[in-house]
Amino acid sequence: MAVSRFSQALLVLFCHVLYSSASFQPALVLDMAKILLDNYCFPENLVGMQEAIQQAINSGEILKISDRKTLASVLTAGVQGALNDPRLTVSFEPNFVPVMPPALPSLPTEQLIRLVRNSVKLEFLENNVGYLRIDRIIGEETAAKLGPLLQENIWTKVTHASSLIFDLRYSTAGELDGVPFIISYFSDPEPLIHIDTVFDRPSNTTKELWTMSSIMGERYGKRKDLIVLTSKRTMGAAEAIAYTLKHLNRAIIVGERSAGGSVKVQKIRIGDSGFYITVPVARSVNPITGQSWEVSGVSPSVNINAKEAVANAKNLLAVRSAIPNAVQSVSDIIRQYYSFTDRVPALLQHLQSTDFFSVISEEDLANKINYELQSVSEDPRLVIKLTQDHPVIIEEDFEPENIPNDPAFLTNLVDTVFKVRILTGNTGYLRFDKFGDVSVMAKLGEQIAQKIWEPLKDTENLIIDLRYNTGGSSASMGILLSFLQDPSQQFHFFTLYDRIQNTTTEFNTLSGLPGPPYGSKRGVYILTSYYTAGAGEEFAYLMQSLHRGTVIGEITSGTLMHSKSFQVEDTDIVITVPFINIIDNNGECWLGGGVVPDAIVLAEEAVDHTHEIIESGMKVVAFDEFDQNPCASFCMRNVQINPLVHIS
């Protein structure tokens, strides 16, 4: 018969760890091996062990030890090392007298009642949070005997709790056949759930544990929150309960890793000697994980000192109690403001069906909702995050009614807002740091024509400097785009959909411009930086989309445009929702993320680089050519952008 790896290791330890002296009987090892073969719950690990030991004895390889306690220690080390199971121990106890505690069902009813009352505590905390502590898991027979009493004093009362803290930190004893009732109490009647499989080696039988279709009285059910507390003392049946509820995603475990006990352990005398071997004779296999809580214990979802577990559980339940209202608040905001109206139903349905079982903090909740919304919307502008900085509303400036009609004032205003120069090589230069309101631009029309387009009309190329442009009115982009096209041709530039106003506005070439148009024949170069944001980067994007200009400089800010931020009720969670969509002339909705220049250079070098391009006639990769490269296109749409830095 082939010798298993474990048997070989055991044989090596027996042959080389033992040291010589008098009167050791090889029969002791053979008897111990037989006990393991007949009782150890992992018989597959013992294949060939007995034959290997007998062969070693016959060859004289096993040496002798005179001191019995030393021998017991050496045998323990050998069997534990070979089988990697710390529960296997050998002891020398010539005076040991087995004591069998009376089975609970055999105790008088009065004594049973007293025992149960001493091991169970139920109270109700603030906000109708139930607190149930059980220090001993009673078995099926005892539960049947005390059923009405338990139902009336414990289980029926617990059903009225809004949420429950189930304290197993001091549960060190119990019976495994009591586990199905407790799991059933926290589950629905149907479908039945396979919760455990127990293999008993002495009887060579396997028993499956399932939830129960009917139990006495009402169930707590699976809808309300359940927190299970554990400590390093939690052992046995209590571990089975915690492990099962955790992996059914029914309870959040808070506290310390449990003891890692065993389903059933027996202390068996080795032959007629004074030696005993402690052997785990049964094992548990969870049908979900294929593993067990035995030896390794139950790892908590929230690892914290057991003494602090109750306080932590209360805080956790407070967070979880806010989930329904937070989800509803987010849903209401999306329904009212989100600019992709066709995606709203799917988003709301997805939120309502999302499982928030894993949420144990406000940060978890924010991350979970954000992940779920992103997975459905694929819109990076729709963002949810945890922040201590609550959103503020920034009022727009430049109200047209506040601007006087004095021509001198209007001229001075244009000179202040717009910087116009003629650079070397007859290259025009135009800088402005914000797109003004359309009505303001109309009011300044005569001055803009005189101070901007008249000086620029005869230049050979035009640089539009947006390196410090942080946004403004998107609607006014149509005016500037019209100046850069031929008035004889009609172009569609872009479309704005406003969810709040429920309006769709198309922006096409404007007729009757207040000054000479620059036209479409001459070169236009857009300078950008990491500070370029809002309407500034929208304009750069549209110039690429229209193939009308070359963008030079740094990737733009990627600032969320046309969005509103709201604090989710009673939380520190903030949702940012885009309420306007900008749709280019190709029918594509721009989702932000920053504009990638056609020529990427440092912002401070952009003017010089533009001159080099103009002078050399260098061809810069056009936006449409870049877009034909799937990898490059993906990078453009998903590039990581530095946050906007405020410019005073």
Side-chain angles (χ1 to χ4, degrees):
M1 180 182 297
V3 181
S4 71
R5 177 173 59 86
F6 299 100
S7 300
Q8 289 176 335
L10 184 61
L11 177 59
V12 169
L13 282 164
F14 283 168
C15 292
H16 298 286
V17 176
L18 304 185
Y19 54 88
S20 62
S21 188
S23 71
F24 167 64
Q25 298 297 323
L28 181 68
V29 178
L30 290 175
D31 288 341
M32 184 183 71
K34 187 175 188 311
I35 291 172
L36 289 173
L37 288 168
D38 293 341
N39 296 277
Y40 184 49
C41 59
F42 289 96
E44 63 272 17
N45 293 344
L46 302 174
V47 175
M49 183 189 69
Q50 193 171 27
E51 291 83 351
I53 293 175
Q54 183 64 61
Q55 181 181 356
I57 291 172
N58 293 340
S59 65
E61 293 176 1
I62 292 186
L63 305 178
K64 299 179 181 180
I65 297 176
S66 60
D67 183 78
R68 296 325 194 241
K69 290 189 180 295
T70 301
L71 176 58
S73 297
V74 171
L75 291 174
T76 296
V79 74
Q80 286 184 356
L83 296 169
N84 194 28
D85 192 334
R87 297 171 296 177
L88 291 163
T89 58
V90 178
S91 59
F92 179 68
E93 302 176 70
N95 300 318
F96 175 71
V97 178
V99 177
M100 293 295 293
L104 283 185
S106 64
L107 296 175
T109 302
E110 294 77 12
Q111 189 174 347
L112 273 178
I113 293 173
R114 190 162 54 250
L115 186 149
V116 170
R117 281 180 172 166
N118 289 336
S119 63
V120 178
K121 176 184 178 182
L122 173 64
E123 60 179 304
F124 283 83
L125 310 177
E126 189 178 359
N127 298 321
N128 197 35
V129 174
Y131 171 83
L132 175 62
R133 170 177 164 177
I134 296 181
D135 295 348
R136 183 186 183 96
I137 307 302
I138 62 173
E140 192 174 358
E141 287 187 54
T142 306
K145 195 171 183 178
L146 301 178
L149 177 68
L150 295 172
Q151 193 63 41
E152 179 181 353
N153 290 280
I154 301 175
W155 302 117
T156 297
K157 291 181 179 180
V158 171
T159 59
H160 300 300
S162 300
S163 54
L164 181 65
I165 299 173
F166 188 16
D167 193 349
L168 297 177
R169 290 176 297 170
Y170 310 97
S171 186
T172 58
E175 300 172 61
L176 203 63
D177 62 1
V179 172
F181 170 80
I182 293 179
I183 304 300
S184 300
Y185 183 71
F186 295 116
S187 307
D188 289 340
E190 299 292 341
L192 298 181
I193 304 170
H194 181 196
I195 59 177
D196 206 349
T197 297
V198 178
F199 169 66
D200 183 80
R201 178 65 185 102
S203 62
N204 204 30
T205 58
T206 299
K207 181 180 181 180
E208 292 185 350
L209 302 182
W210 290 72
T211 54
M212 304 158 69
S213 58
S214 62
I215 61 175
M216 184 181 297
E218 296 181 59
R219 299 173 187 246
Y220 181 82
K222 60 182 292 186
R223 305 286 184 269
K224 296 184 285 186
D225 281 328
L226 174 63
I227 309 293
V228 175
L229 308 185
T230 58
S231 74
K232 57 188 176 183
R233 298 173 56 191
T234 306
M235 184 178 290
E239 292 183 278
I241 291 170
Y243 189 86
T244 302
L245 290 172
K246 175 183 177 180
H247 291 288
L248 286 174
N249 287 340
R250 180 59 193 94
I252 296 173
I253 313 301
V254 174
E256 300 166 339
R257 181 181 289 272
S258 65
S262 300
V263 172
K264 186 179 180 181
V265 173
Q266 289 185 354
K267 192 170 187 177
I268 304 171
R269 187 177 181 183
I270 303 176
D272 295 327
S273 70
F275 289 90
Y276 289 82
I277 182 169
T278 301
V279 183
V281 297
R283 75 186 194 220
S284 163
V285 178
N286 183 278
I288 298 173
T289 65
Q291 298 176 356
S292 174
W293 46 269
E294 296 181 273
V295 182
S296 59
V298 182
S299 61
S301 312
V302 179
N303 196 342
I304 196 169
N305 189 293
K307 293 180 180 180
E308 302 172 7
V310 173
N312 187 277
K314 290 178 182 178
N315 294 335
L316 198 160
L317 287 173
V319 169
R320 294 193 57 79
S321 67
I323 292 176
N325 287 340
V327 172
Q328 186 60 52
S329 177
V330 169
S331 299
D332 291 343
I333 292 168
I334 290 174
R335 184 185 293 108
Q336 183 173 356
Y337 293 103
Y338 187 42
S339 54
F340 277 121
T341 55
D342 57 328
R343 302 182 189 180
V344 169
L347 283 170
L348 300 187
Q349 182 178 3
H350 187 72
L351 274 181
Q352 292 303 318
S353 61
T354 296
D355 182 3
F356 291 96
F357 170 77
S358 62
V359 171
I360 58 177
S361 66
E362 267 197 6
E363 184 177 7
D364 279 350
L365 179 58
N367 291 339
K368 178 67 173 176
I369 297 177
N370 187 66
Y371 172 81
E372 298 299 334
L373 291 181
Q374 287 292 314
S375 67
V376 175
S377 71
E378 298 182 338
D379 187 346
R381 302 172 301 168
L382 183 60
V383 178
I384 293 183
K385 61 183 179 180
L386 185 70
T387 178
Q388 300 296 324
D389 300 323
H390 297 158
V392 296
I393 298 175
I394 301 174
E395 298 294 337
E396 293 289 337
D397 52 7
F398 271 144
E399 294 295 334
E401 60 269 19
N402 297 330
I403 301 177
N405 292 320
D406 179 13
F409 176 85
L410 297 178
T411 299
N412 184 61
L413 179 60
V414 170
D415 286 339
T416 302
V417 172
F418 298 93
K419 304 298 181 186
V420 178
R421 289 186 291 164
I422 307 300
L423 307 179
T424 57
N426 195 27
T427 297
Y429 173 88
L430 170 62
R431 170 182 165 181
F432 55 98
D433 297 343
K434 189 172 185 179
F435 282 85
D437 186 87
V438 172
S439 56
V440 173
M441 300 298 290
K443 196 166 188 176
L444 297 174
E446 183 179 339
Q447 287 75 22
I448 289 175
Q450 179 185 355
K451 305 293 290 186
I452 298 176
W453 297 113
E454 278 294 334
L456 295 175
K457 68 179 182 179
D458 295 324
T459 57
E460 296 181 14
N461 295 282
L462 176 61
I463 294 174
I464 300 177
D465 190 349
L466 302 180
R467 289 176 294 175
Y468 308 96
N469 191 299
T470 56
S473 170
S474 298
S476 64
M477 293 190 300
I479 299 173
L480 182 54
L481 289 170
S482 295
F483 272 103
L484 301 176
Q485 297 292 343
D486 292 328
S488 60
Q489 298 179 342
Q490 186 70 15
F491 281 95
H492 171 63
F493 296 138
F494 64 98
T495 301
L496 283 182
Y497 170 70
D498 189 318
R499 173 69 182 87
I500 297 176
Q501 302 297 328
N502 196 26
T503 58
T504 300
T505 306
E506 293 190 350
F507 291 84
N508 304 306
T509 306
L510 296 174
S511 58
L513 294 174
Y518 197 75
S520 62
K521 306 301 183 185
R522 289 171 283 185
V524 177
Y525 300 87
I526 315 299
L527 308 188
T528 60
S529 75
Y530 294 126
Y531 305 144
T532 307
E537 52 189 337
E538 288 175 349
F539 182 80
Y541 167 79
L542 288 171
M543 289 293 283
Q544 286 182 327
S545 175
L546 291 163
H547 312 295
R548 181 61 190 94
T550 301
V551 180
I552 300 172
E554 298 167 341
I555 299 171
T556 61
S557 165
T559 303
L560 295 174
M561 300 152 297
H562 310 303
S563 300
K564 287 183 176 292
S565 293
F566 304 89
Q567 184 181 357
V568 177
E569 186 178 357
D570 297 328
T571 70
D572 286 325
I573 296 172
V574 171
I575 175 172
T576 301
V577 185
F579 64 92
I580 286 179
N581 281 345
I582 180 168
I583 305 162
D584 66 20
N585 62 317
N586 299 311
E588 295 289 332
C589 180
W590 190 45
L591 301 180
V595 176
V596 178
D598 301 302
I600 299 178
V601 297
L602 293 175
E604 56 267 28
E605 300 174 1
V607 174
D608 291 339
H609 194 78
T610 302
H611 282 303
E612 292 175 6
I613 292 175
I614 293 172
E615 291 170 4
S616 66
M618 184 187 306
K619 182 181 184 296
V620 179
V621 178
F623 184 74
D624 59 332
E625 295 173 319
F626 199 40
D627 197 46
Q628 290 171 7
N629 184 325
C631 180
S633 178
F634 178 83
C635 293
M636 290 174 66
R637 287 170 171 77
N638 296 276
V639 65
Q640 294 295 317
I641 305 301
N642 289 339
L644 177 65
V645 179
H646 176 70
I647 304 175
S648 57

